[in-house]
Amino acid sequence: MKKIVVLSGAGISAESGLATFRDSGGLWEGHDVMEVASIEGWRRNPSVVLDFYNKRRKQAAQAQPNEAHLAVARLEKKFDVVVITQNVDNLHEKAGSTKVIHLHGELNKARSSIDESLIYDIKDREIHIGDKCGKGSQLRPHIVWFGEMVPMMEIAAAESAEADIYLVIGTSLVVYPAAGLLDYVPVDSPIYVINPERTQVPARRDVRYITEKAAKGTSELVEQMLN
Ligand code: NAD
């Protein structure tokens, strides 16, 4: 069975009503990214950060997968599929994808601020100042912020190195180390890039650009692949 690896970014969830921040003047739902998505921002003002992610969690819980997430899930009928997502929503899982690696964490989980292996499933519940982990420290969102290590990178790189076909959907490829995953894709495996804007893919032998929004571009490509 051929292996397809999908690398998705915020653009795949845009048509489900979840805004990307690169398309909103560098603001994520009206907030400076460094205020709400960096370790310094958390240290400076944890209550602003908790409130921000409480809102994002509620919004994501109400969102539904769009045609792009559903098409990616359909690929499992014929291929071994691994989804590597930079998104913190769970729309790939809601669409039915069974192997999803979250590079930047997940909104519906909380974790200890002193022990990153202490992770709790909180579904759509809020986190507040004073909510503690089992070791007595403040709970924080299970999100990888700017300035932090990306623990899932090694696994994601190993999966990328086994891809027969690589799909890049709705990502600007400017956030590292995620963008560096393309370097692991075998040179003779085609890379399809689905994005309405032209993105910067390092020079390769076989990159195929589909300049469409995720829902249309992905469902058309998946249709071809399944037939
Ligand atoms: P990003 O750097 O991946 O950029 C978004 C990309 O999506 C852009 O290249 C844009 O051209 C493309 N795009 C916009 N609409 C699209 C559509 N309909 N179809 C296909 N592509 C489309 O992502 P970002 O917004 O800069 O966010 C960076 C990080 O912030 C993410 O990696 C994530 O950790 C977090 N974030 C997550 C979510 C989410 O979970 N839904 C939303 C916003 C931000």
Side-chain angles (χ1 to χ4, degrees), residues 11 15 19-23 28 86 88-89 104 170-172 195-196 214:
E15 289 162 274
T20 69
F21 68 68
R22 242 154 269 278
D23 299 309
W28 191 359
Q86 298 163 82
V88 294
D89 63 53
H104 295 164
T171 178
S172 59
N195 196 314

Side-chain angles (χ1 to χ4, degrees), residues 123-144:
K123 303 205 164 51
D124 57 357
R125 289 195 299 276
E126 298 193 341
I127 310 175
H128 297 115
I129 295 288
D131 291 347
K132 304 261 170 70
C133 75
K135 291 186 174 173
S137 82
Q138 175 64 43
L139 281 179
R140 54 165 274 183
H142 179 50
I143 304 286
V144 177

Side-chain angles (χ1 to χ4, degrees), residues 165-182:
I165 303 171
Y166 208 76
L167 309 190
V168 179
I169 310 173
T171 178
S172 59
L173 293 175
V174 298
V175 179
Y176 275 82
L181 287 172
L182 290 181

Side-chain angles (χ1 to χ4, degrees), residues 78-92:
K78 195 168 158 188
F79 299 95
D80 175 17
V81 183
V82 175
V83 178
I84 303 169
T85 187
Q86 298 163 82
N87 294 344
V88 294
D89 63 53
N90 64 353
L91 294 180
H92 282 295

